[in-house]
Amino acid sequence: MEGQRKMLVYGATQAFALLVFFYLFYTQSFGFDPIKLYSGTRSSLKNDVMEETRALEDNLQPLFESLIGEGDLQTTGFACDSTLNYSSLCVASKPVKIHTKTMQIYMPTRFDPTNDTHISDDDDDPKVVQVRPYAWSQYDLLKIVTPVKFLREPPQSPATFCNYNHTIPAIVFSSGGFAGNLFHEFNEIIIPLYITSHIFESRVQFILVDYNPGFLKKYARVFASLSSYDVMNPMMNTSTSLHCFPGAVVGLKFHNFLAINSSEVPKGNSMIEFKKFLATTYGLKIANVSNSLQAPVLLLVSRRKTRRFLNEDELVDMMEEIGFNVMVVRSVKKMSKLETFAKLVSTCSVIVGAHGAGLTNQVFLPAGAVVVQVVPLGLEWPSTVYFGEPAVGMGLHYLDYKIGPDESSLSDSYGHDDPVISDPGSVFAKGYYIGKEMYLDKQNIRVDVNKFRGTIVEALKLLKRTTSLSTR
């Protein structure tokens, strides 16, 4: 009798274990992890799961389409978009399985990697769509960015179990590239991330390839404002690294340098909204320079290595004589602490600096403030495109001061008739890195204070004009 009881218990245990196995097999394969109790037949359970899957896909589909349009995404559930030199982005609007150790994404949908809307730089396997998820797609730069591969999971292949199941989509991007430079961090990661992710209203999982803890810490407030979930390091939990998502975006949407264009997908946003987002994220109180009751503060960005102001003290004396309370920032370390430095910049009415990453801090200036860029020899185009035009798009005033040959330290080594002084374009024509070494890396500035005074006076006039308009 006792033996029969043991046999019954043993048999029941086996049956229960078998049921658990089938349950886990089913839930892992279909990407659902909540345990739900259903009444009815097995077919009703399957129908409920399928309906839940369809409802989730229907809710996410318009968001995915807003990033890339309809087209292939509507018919196959997969589409890519690439802008020349920038923004390689692929969207899978159907459930995917992401193997985070290898950064391979398995999709149930069929796709044709030879289609013009797809991106692939994997010459070894033309059936794989490969994306390096960084918004500046220069070949030399992208060599250091980890590739992410899309593959179709054949229906006849053995079922691949999910270690983790998610009910929110994933956005995969890289902190490689030029991370470490404030301009490039905002230009190629932070602003594109905002463009790509804010439409999901924080219900999105960020996966950061080329995981950089310092970068993550620096922009922790931004990530927390754009997602309710911790940023995933794909190299963690490598032994159980298969994550299932209802959809995925690989790469970030890029519109222009430090810019958001309301006419480009996803439509209807601008840098004005992005600046409001930053103000909320960092607790910035002054929305407009007209709201400041103190004397106008001028922030002078002091470079320490290249494009230095050789007569900085003279500049400060002149600006103070005109009526500004001048604040000189020399420490890159201080500027990198965004939580405190953003608040400091938001109290300023004017920012002055030579062409360089420090001028990116204009994103924290209040509306109506003035950006004054000192343009070194040979750098007119990047000065205008990288900082001048973006400043206007942010609701700021912009002034530039183009130095003359005598104000450049290069004139100490080259005569006025030398192409280095008279024709910088011919130097850049020999190769970007030759021009970079000459004008970005070897040049310092000795500003003609008397000539530059007129630009600073104009900045003060713009502030008074802004203040008077706001009081009408």
Side-chain angles (χ1 to χ4, degrees):
M1 192 69 178
E2 184 67 26
Q4 289 179 337
R5 287 197 191 98
K6 288 183 179 179
M7 289 293 293
L8 287 171
V9 171
Y10 179 72
T13 302
Q14 282 188 316
F16 179 75
L18 192 61
L19 287 172
V20 169
F21 170 78
F22 280 119
Y23 171 77
L24 291 174
F25 176 86
Y26 187 86
T27 55
Q28 297 280 10
S29 296
F30 284 91
F32 290 93
D33 59 349
I35 298 176
K36 297 182 178 179
L37 297 177
Y38 290 86
S39 60
T41 64
R42 292 180 184 175
S43 61
S44 68
L45 172 62
K46 183 176 180 180
N47 289 337
D48 286 337
V49 171
M50 293 179 66
E51 286 177 10
E52 184 176 347
T53 303
R54 281 193 294 267
L56 186 59
E57 291 176 4
D58 290 343
N59 290 335
L60 291 174
Q61 186 71 20
L63 301 180
F64 289 133
E65 289 178 359
S66 72
L67 286 173
I68 206 165
E70 299 178 2
D72 286 350
L73 193 63
Q74 202 170 52
T75 55
T76 69
F78 180 74
C80 296
D81 179 40
S82 179
T83 304
L84 184 63
N85 293 329
Y86 307 103
S87 189
S88 297
L89 177 142
C90 289
V91 176
S93 60
K94 302 292 184 182
V96 297
K97 298 174 180 178
I98 302 180
H99 194 284
T100 56
K101 184 177 181 180
T102 61
M103 287 315 300
Q104 293 180 329
I105 301 179
Y106 299 95
M107 302 181 298
T109 185
R110 181 184 298 277
F111 63 89
D112 177 11
T114 63
N115 190 300
D116 289 339
T117 63
H118 296 152
I119 305 156
S120 180
D121 60 359
D122 189 343
D123 297 329
D124 296 331
D125 190 351
K127 295 181 180 179
V128 173
V129 174
Q130 177 169 285
V131 182
R132 296 180 187 266
Y134 188 78
W136 197 314
S137 302
Q138 292 182 354
Y139 179 73
D140 289 343
L141 173 65
L142 288 188
K143 288 180 180 178
I144 63 174
V145 175
T146 298
V148 178
K149 297 182 179 182
F150 286 91
L151 306 93
R152 186 184 180 223
E153 185 176 31
Q156 70 274 15
S157 66
T160 306
F161 294 108
C162 300
N163 302 116
Y164 304 94
N165 297 279
H166 305 264
T167 57
I168 55 171
I171 292 182
V172 183
F173 63 101
S174 171
S175 61
F178 284 124
N181 176 293
L182 189 67
F183 169 76
H184 290 289
E185 287 172 345
F186 268 93
N187 186 60
E188 290 121 55
I189 304 177
I190 300 302
I191 295 175
L193 183 64
Y194 172 81
I195 296 172
T196 308
S197 68
H198 83 277
I199 59 175
F200 294 98
E201 298 181 342
S202 297
R203 289 191 52 76
V204 65
Q205 174 67 63
F206 294 147
I207 301 178
L208 183 62
V209 298
D210 308 308
Y211 190 90
N212 183 331
F215 174 80
L216 193 66
K217 180 179 179 181
K218 183 177 180 179
Y219 294 100
R221 282 183 176 266
V222 171
F223 295 133
S225 295
L226 291 174
S227 173
S228 299
Y229 305 85
D230 292 338
V231 177
M232 185 187 299
N233 179 357
M235 294 311 294
M236 295 293 288
N237 301 319
T238 53
S239 59
T240 54
S241 55
L242 196 66
H243 292 253
C244 286
F245 293 92
V249 178
V250 177
L252 300 175
K253 197 70 180 176
F254 179 91
H255 284 176
N256 209 336
F257 298 106
L258 293 186
I260 299 175
N261 300 327
S262 59
S263 60
E264 293 189 39
V265 293
K267 296 181 178 181
N269 218 328
S270 72
M271 283 300 291
I272 302 297
E273 279 72 31
F274 177 72
K275 279 172 61 64
K276 291 178 181 177
F277 163 78
L278 289 180
T280 300
T281 298
Y282 289 102
L284 311 183
K285 303 299 183 184
I286 302 176
N288 193 296
V289 290
S290 62
N291 298 333
S292 177
L293 301 177
Q294 61 183 7
V297 178
L298 184 152
L299 177 67
L300 178 64
V301 179
S302 176
R303 297 181 60 87
R304 297 289 84 194
K305 294 183 179 179
T306 65
R307 285 157 277 148
R308 292 185 295 118
F309 291 129
L310 299 177
N311 56 338
E312 190 173 275
D313 291 342
E314 291 182 64
L315 293 179
V316 172
D317 290 342
M318 177 268 289
M319 294 168 180
E320 290 179 339
E321 288 175 8
I322 288 174
F324 284 104
N325 178 8
V326 180
M327 185 185 308
V328 182
V329 178
R330 297 183 173 89
S331 171
V332 175
K333 185 177 181 180
K334 182 176 182 179
M335 284 190 281
S336 67
K337 295 179 180 179
L338 291 187
E339 292 192 23
T340 54
F341 195 67
K343 289 183 173 65
L344 176 66
V345 177
S346 71
T347 66
C348 298
S349 301
V350 179
I351 185 170
V352 177
H355 173 75
L359 287 175
T360 309
N361 287 293
Q362 63 184 276
V363 297
F364 301 119
L365 287 173
V370 185
V371 177
V372 179
Q373 180 172 205
V374 177
V375 181
L377 203 65
L379 299 179
E380 289 84 356
W381 182 87
S383 295
T384 300
V385 174
Y386 293 171
F387 298 111
E389 293 173 353
V392 176
M394 295 180 201
L396 306 170
H397 299 290
Y398 174 70
L399 299 171
D400 64 15
Y401 176 81
K402 298 180 179 68
I403 71 169
D406 292 335
E407 295 172 275
S408 171
S409 64
L410 295 175
S411 64
D412 298 337
S413 304
Y414 301 91
H416 281 206
D417 295 333
D418 192 290
V420 169
I421 303 297
S422 62
D423 189 12
S426 66
V427 178
F428 275 105
K430 297 177 182 178
Y432 167 76
Y433 290 103
I434 294 175
K436 175 183 179 297
E437 181 182 12
M438 182 64 67
Y439 299 105
L440 287 169
D441 300 339
K442 290 184 175 181
Q443 183 173 199
N444 293 314
I445 303 165
R446 190 181 299 104
V447 176
D448 185 323
V449 176
N450 291 327
K451 288 171 58 179
F452 189 44
R453 177 186 292 270
T455 304
I456 300 303
V457 169
E458 179 61 24
L460 186 60
K461 289 180 180 178
L462 287 172
L463 290 178
K464 290 181 177 178
R465 193 179 307 159
T466 299
T467 304
S468 63
L469 286 173
S470 67
T471 56
R472 289 180 183 177

